[in-house]
Amino acid sequence: MYAAYIGFGSNIGDRLVHIQNAIHALSKTEGITLQKISSIYTTDPVGYEAQAQFLNGVAAIQTSLSPLALLHTLKDIETAIGRKHRIRWGPREIDLDILIYGDLCVQTEKLVVPHPEIHLRGFVLVPLAEIAPDLVHPVFQVSIQTLLNRLEDSKSVLKEEDCVL
């Protein structure tokens, strides 16, 4: 079993329902045990900025799935929820990303782990630091909390007190 961290986000339709459905699907997947879920955060879009704000968070899981099998599982969940691929960094019903998978470093055409932009994104670091502040990034060899403390991203990341998973 490996500890892995999955980033999730939505900015189309009923964002919270999309996230709840994704977390439920993860929890029912053979080979995945849900360990912990961060709070939900309202975040400004990154990349393509002419779109609605996102709801974002991070789930900690234990998994016996390989990194590529986990990726395929996440893509299947996205499809089942109704994700349509539009433009890069554009609006989405649901987005599920493998952020960290144990201490493995994977680089293929389909998957890069750890996610190459963790250290640049407040919408990832804030919820990840909430549930795993002492987790050591496999490439940078510093804690997630240290990466968050070093973050220069000025995008808004606000905790949603009323969103419950």
Side-chain angles (χ1 to χ4, degrees), residues 125-146:
L125 286 174
V126 170
L128 185 54
E130 176 190 329
I131 63 172
D134 298 325
L135 175 68
V136 174
H137 189 287
V139 173
F140 298 119
Q141 292 298 306
V142 297
S143 72
I144 296 303
Q145 186 63 54
T146 298

Side-chain angles (χ1 to χ4, degrees), residues 84-131:
K84 294 170 183 56
H85 289 277
R86 296 169 179 91
I87 61 171
R88 180 176 169 93
W89 293 320
R92 59 204 79 163
E93 292 79 6
I94 191 70
D95 186 34
L96 300 170
D97 290 317
I98 303 171
L99 303 174
I100 293 178
Y101 185 103
D103 59 358
L104 295 182
C105 294
V106 178
Q107 190 155 7
T108 71
E109 285 183 29
K110 294 184 181 202
L111 179 63
V112 178
V113 174
H115 193 287
E117 296 180 349
I118 289 174
H119 64 292
L120 302 174
R121 305 287 192 237
F123 69 85
V124 171
L125 286 174
V126 170
L128 185 54
E130 176 190 329
I131 63 172

Side-chain angles (χ1 to χ4, degrees), residues 13-88:
D14 193 328
R15 302 171 302 168
L16 184 58
V17 167
H18 292 320
I19 290 168
Q20 289 169 332
N21 290 340
I23 297 299
H24 179 75
L26 269 176
S27 73
K28 297 298 181 193
T29 300
E30 188 173 332
I32 293 176
T33 303
L34 201 53
Q35 299 290 304
K36 199 168 193 180
I37 304 168
S38 75
S39 300
I40 301 293
Y41 294 84
T42 297
T43 65
D44 291 333
V46 172
Y48 176 67
E49 296 182 4
Q51 60 181 318
Q53 288 185 310
F54 281 81
L55 290 182
N56 284 102
V58 172
I61 65 170
Q62 287 286 322
T63 186
S64 60
L65 300 177
S66 71
L68 280 175
L70 179 57
L71 175 66
H72 291 302
T73 296
L74 298 180
K75 296 304 169 197
D76 288 346
I77 291 170
E78 288 178 348
T79 299
I81 290 172
R83 178 169 179 178
K84 294 170 183 56
H85 289 277
R86 296 169 179 91
I87 61 171
R88 180 176 169 93

